Amino acid sequence: METVNQLLDSIKDVGRDAVRGGYSRAVYTTPELELRQWFIEQAEQRGLDVETDRNGITWAWWGKPQDGALVTGSHLDSVPGGGAFDGPLGVASALAAVDLLKSRGVEPRRSLAVTVFPEEEGSRFGVACLGSRLLTGAIDVDKARNLRDAEGNTFADVAQANGLDPRHVGRDTAALARIGDFVELHVEQGRGLGDHGPAIAVGSSILGHGRWKLSVSGQGNHAGTTLMADRADPMVAAAQIVVAVRDTAAKQQDARATVGRLTPVPGGTNVIASRVDLWLDARHPDDAVTAQLIEAIYGAAREIAAGEGCSVSLTEESYSDTVHFNPALSRRIGELLPGAPVLATGAGHDAGVLAGHVPSAMLFVRNPSGISHSPEEYVADEDASAGAVALADVLEGLL
Ligand code: GLV
Ligand code: MN
Ligand code: MN
């Protein structure tokens, strides 16, 4: 029996990123596969039966696989240079909660599964929560198979190299039927829980969010011989578009919009780029407002691009509506955790994708600075322990 802190400690060296700091554990890369192997070993040590389904989701069963089981879990992949807790905290807490339930002598009335979902962050193939989207049919399978990573590998090829049959990825009603209730514990990614008071909150909703790609095209050319007046430089347009994204979102209450990734093509110091790709992440509670926001950003981008002698296109890569977690399940969890505050989140989660199909809920563990998707993400040991106990209390009450 290991505590959640011991479990996290045992993976603290996996996938450290010496350049960015923090962890880079993209799906189906060596560190993420090492973490999955760690999970399988931990599950087997606990007598759980492990299987990987046709979408690459790992299930560790306490009791026989059955319809209507209680399921908990999270993910092990990370953003580039991410923190130690986003994902692994939920997986390690689930394992620790199984230990706690066994030490309490709990005899489950239904089976419990601990799951690990692949590509929650979308860091490699661009679509967040790819595993749960495939499971629920929330992504077209051909689109999924043809997603490409930065090296140009398709998801189909990478999945195949990792033991999946790309012909069989996609909606899995049998696997979905096994989820009677889904509870995901996750590090809080804002400052919703103060330094005093409860360390654990019950989730209420997830902000609607999506990803779009803006491609700005201009004239690739020589940095030394092209006069300033003769340029159609997409990088100059892209810089202004980044500012327009910030300004457009700042004018809209409750909106968030970010350009976190930008790639100049071909990308040379002495080369005026021929194209710059920017990825936009935009979020708002009202999906109609998000649509207006994207339209306003695209309008500004077209004007900026034209002013620089360039053109711009916009493609939606993924979208998730605002999600409200199952009220009855969340209420029941609130009763099991008296005094726990109720928190909405601006971050996306597999629980949000599953919520449209099965009763889903979330627990959040305090993150004092609120910093996440950064090496500085932090959870105090005592709060992580409180999270595992809270998850065990919830699972015991729901089993
Ligand atoms: C995932 O963490 C997201 O909110 O993008
Ligand atoms: Mn994340
Ligand atoms: Mn996460």
Side-chain angles (χ1 to χ4, degrees), residues 239-325:
Q240 295 169 65
I241 291 171
V242 171
V243 176
V245 165
R246 192 271 312 267
D247 291 349
T248 310
K251 280 190 253 149
Q252 179 67 57
Q253 204 180 354
D254 296 328
R256 290 144 209 201
T258 308
V259 176
R261 184 156 67 104
L262 181 154
T263 305
V265 179
T269 306
N270 55 351
V271 180
I272 298 168
S274 56
R275 195 180 86 229
V276 175
D277 294 330
L278 302 84
W279 282 267
L280 167 67
D281 176 309
R283 310 187 186 212
H284 190 277
D286 183 337
D287 299 326
V289 175
T290 308
Q292 286 163 13
L293 196 67
I294 299 307
E295 216 24 70
I297 288 171
Y298 190 30
R302 282 197 301 259
E303 211 168 290
I304 290 164
E308 296 296 334
C310 298
S311 60
V312 62
S313 65
L314 176 118
T315 324
E316 181 181 301
E317 295 204 328
S318 64
Y319 190 71
S320 302
D321 294 346
T322 292
V323 165
H324 297 276
F325 289 118

Side-chain angles (χ1 to χ4, degrees), residues 92-381:
S93 299
L95 292 167
V98 168
D99 289 343
L100 287 167
L101 294 176
K102 288 187 171 178
S103 73
R104 292 176 189 175
V106 170
E107 302 223 348
R109 286 180 298 272
R110 57 173 165 163
S111 296
L112 172 75
V114 180
T115 46
V116 175
F117 287 90
E119 185 68 325
E120 190 260 7
E121 300 288 6
S123 301
R124 182 160 181 190
F125 292 103
V127 174
C129 299
L130 184 58
S132 53
R133 280 184 206 267
L134 284 166
L135 168 69
T136 57
I139 183 167
D140 176 77
V141 280
D142 280 328
K143 177 179 170 180
R145 290 185 193 111
N146 288 313
L147 292 171
R148 284 181 192 272
D149 67 9
E151 274 74 53
N153 304 300
T154 63
F155 173 68
D157 286 346
V158 172
Q160 186 148 35
N162 285 281
L164 298 185
D165 184 337
R167 290 172 305 176
H168 296 150
V169 298
R171 185 170 163 84
D172 187 342
T173 42
L176 256 183
R178 292 188 167 171
I179 310 179
D181 296 290
F182 182 73
V183 182
E184 179 171 1
L185 177 145
H186 203 278
V187 58
E188 221 281 272
Q189 293 173 286
R191 273 171 299 165
L193 289 160
D195 294 340
H196 305 289
I200 314 300
V202 181
S204 57
S205 63
I206 294 182
L207 199 58
H209 56 283
R211 297 181 183 190
W212 292 261
K213 179 179 173 184
L214 286 151
S215 284
V216 191
S217 297
Q219 178 58 59
N221 216 329
H222 193 293
T225 59
T226 316
L227 299 181
M228 298 313 285
D230 291 345
R231 298 179 179 211
D233 184 345
M235 186 60 97
V236 175
Q240 295 169 65
I241 291 171
V242 171
V243 176
V245 165
R246 192 271 312 267
D247 291 349
T248 310
K251 280 190 253 149
Q252 179 67 57
Q253 204 180 354
D254 296 328
R256 290 144 209 201
T258 308
V259 176
R261 184 156 67 104
L262 181 154
T263 305
V265 179
T269 306
N270 55 351
V271 180
I272 298 168
S274 56
R275 195 180 86 229
V276 175
D277 294 330
L278 302 84
W279 282 267
L280 167 67
D281 176 309
R283 310 187 186 212
H284 190 277
D286 183 337
D287 299 326
V289 175
T290 308
Q292 286 163 13
L293 196 67
I294 299 307
E295 216 24 70
I297 288 171
Y298 190 30
R302 282 197 301 259
E303 211 168 290
I304 290 164
E308 296 296 334
C310 298
S311 60
V312 62
S313 65
L314 176 118
T315 324
E316 181 181 301
E317 295 204 328
S318 64
Y319 190 71
S320 302
D321 294 346
T322 292
V323 165
H324 297 276
F325 289 118
N326 184 276
L329 180 61
S330 300
R331 202 173 321 111
R332 177 82 186 106
I333 291 175
E335 287 161 11
L336 294 164
L337 300 177
V342 173
L343 266 190
T345 181
H349 300 284
D350 292 302
V353 176
L354 294 176
H357 305 266
V358 294
S360 298
M362 288 192 77
L363 301 183
F364 294 119
V365 180
R366 173 162 48 211
N367 171 359
S369 67
I371 293 175
S372 188
H373 285 185
S374 155
E376 286 124 90
E377 182 183 74
Y378 177 69
V379 174
D381 284 359

